[in-house]
Every structure is written in C-alpha cells, then in structure tokens.
Amino acid sequence: MKYYTNYTPRNSSLLPGTNHTNKHGCVFTILGLYAGEQTKNKKYVVKFIATNSIQVVDSSNIKAKSVKDYMHRSVFGVGYMGKGKHSSYKSGKVSREYKLWNHVLERCYGNRPKWHTYKNVSVCERWHNYQNFCEDLPKIAGYDKWLTSGWVIDKDLSGGLLYSLENCVFLSPSDSSKEMNSRVKKEIIRGECGRIVGTVVLPSE
C-alpha cells in the first residue's frame, strides 16, 4: 500500500507519526497520505498499534474517531470482524450469520449465568475471525437446513468441547435435544470418561 510522507496538511494532527484514538479506545498512527485515488476528504494510511492492522481511511473519519480496527477483539474479548466481504448487516438488519457467531462466542466467553456450563468449552482460533466463520458455515453438514428450517449448530455430536468446522454439525432442534439427553445419561453412567459429570450438564444448542 503506497503512501506519501512528504506533505503539508492543513491540520498538523494529520502529519505522519501522529497518534489518534477511536471511539473504542484503540490507538492508531498515521503513516502517510494515501497514494491512490482521493475523494473530497483526503485519505490517509493508518496503522493500529495493538493489532498492526493497516487500512485507508478518510480524514473525516479520523476527526470523528470513527476509524474501525477490524482486527480488534471487541466481541466478548476474543471475536473480531476481520477484513473481508462478510458484513454483520444485511438489508439493514443484523445478519443470521452474525447472530449465530455472536451467540456461539457468548456461550463460551460471556458472563451470563445461563452459560456457566460452558466454562470448559471454547471456540477455535480460526472462528474468532468473523470472516473465517462465514467462509466455513456452508461447509458444515446441515447448513442448508439451517438456512431454511431453523436447525441449530451442535458441537456435542462429536463428543468435543471445541466449536470448530471439524466438530460442528447442524441438527433439528428435536434431534439436538435428544442428543443432549442421551449424552447426559451416558455421563451419569460413565462418570470417569473425562467429561464434566455430577450435577453439571453440558448443553448442546
């Protein structure tokens, strides 16, 4: 990405090396004036200090502190949007993909009491990135049913404690419930299998 460092802006805060903070407290540095096509508001190349994410932004966004760091782990401390074509909104509404991704992360990393049984469950690093999650969704068995019939994501059919492409499938709500009940019964009988036992119930959606 090409940019100029030898320029004189009207505002000294837009000089190379100056730091700014967006509305979320993320600090970024101006690297220089973007060498590509310009608009009414001049564009600058900036780099976020914490994530090393580099992007081109309008000067107006810098002033308004609305520059987004797409690599910032803003969703439950682990999830980030990433750079790519997948948006969290479709037709002015939060997308189904984003709702599902957010829900999976909340189960594992949220602090709501209802998710306390997920304390030993995690989401694979690849799926911390929303773009990767969306790319993998169509590869999960039952994806077409999730799109049309309200099926739910389930990681427990494989017996794992990790949400990932390898572990997950989409099941009907009734099959997911049957699978959970069957799994709980086995855990009560086989208490030394290494899974959570006793009064703790491992839910599957």
Side-chain angles (χ1 to χ4, degrees), residues 158-169:
S158 65
L161 296 175
L162 179 72
Y163 278 99
S164 68
L165 176 59
E166 294 74 20
N167 285 355
C168 288
V169 297

Side-chain angles (χ1 to χ4, degrees), residues 5 17 56 58 63-64 71 81 90 110 114-115 127 129 132-133 137 160 166-167 177 181:
T5 57
V56 178
D58 283 348
K63 182 179 180 180
M71 307 304 287
M81 287 300 298
K90 288 184 179 180
K114 66 181 294 185
W115 303 125
W127 281 7
N129 185 327
N132 292 338
F133 179 77
L137 269 184
E166 294 74 20
N167 285 355
S177 179
N181 292 334

Side-chain angles (χ1 to χ4, degrees), residues 23-197:
K23 294 178 181 179
H24 301 287
C26 302
V27 180
F28 60 91
T29 299
I30 294 180
L31 298 181
L33 182 67
Y34 180 52
E37 182 181 355
Q38 295 288 342
T39 58
K40 181 179 180 180
N41 295 313
K42 289 187 176 181
K43 295 184 178 181
Y44 293 84
V45 178
V46 304
K47 179 179 181 180
F48 281 91
I49 294 176
T51 63
N52 291 321
S53 175
I54 297 176
Q55 57 184 289
V56 178
V57 300
D58 283 348
S59 59
S60 59
N61 291 335
I62 295 175
K63 182 179 180 180
K65 296 185 176 183
S66 60
V67 178
K68 296 181 179 179
D69 181 1
Y70 294 100
M71 307 304 287
H72 175 52
R73 296 178 182 268
S74 59
V75 183
F76 300 107
V78 295
Y80 57 98
M81 287 300 298
K83 296 180 180 179
K85 64 181 181 180
H86 299 288
S87 173
S88 57
Y89 283 84
K90 288 184 179 180
S91 302
K93 297 181 180 180
V94 178
S95 69
R96 293 187 64 192
E97 292 81 2
Y98 184 84
K99 288 181 180 179
L100 178 61
W101 179 68
N102 187 279
H103 186 51
V104 168
L105 291 176
E106 182 183 20
R107 287 177 170 184
C108 300
Y109 307 107
N111 57 10
R112 295 176 64 185
K114 66 181 294 185
W115 303 125
H116 73 281
T117 53
Y118 277 79
K119 63 180 181 180
N120 290 322
V121 180
S122 60
V123 178
C124 69
E125 178 63 33
R126 175 173 169 78
W127 281 7
H128 290 183
N129 185 327
Y130 176 65
Q131 302 299 317
N132 292 338
F133 179 77
C134 289
E135 289 295 323
D136 287 349
L137 269 184
K139 304 173 186 177
I140 299 176
Y143 170 74
D144 57 331
K145 295 293 185 179
W146 174 73
L147 285 176
T148 60
S149 305
W151 282 25
V152 296
I153 196 166
D154 190 295
K155 56 145 184 63
D156 297 307
L157 196 62
S158 65
L161 296 175
L162 179 72
Y163 278 99
S164 68
L165 176 59
E166 294 74 20
N167 285 355
C168 288
V169 297
F170 284 108
L171 298 176
S172 68
S174 60
D175 285 344
S176 180
S177 179
K178 290 177 183 177
E179 187 279 327
M180 182 185 71
N181 292 334
S182 173
R183 178 169 47 82
V184 170
K185 184 180 296 183
K186 291 178 181 178
E187 287 177 350
I188 293 174
I189 296 173
R190 301 185 303 138
E192 297 182 358
C193 65
R195 301 285 296 279
I196 299 178
V197 295

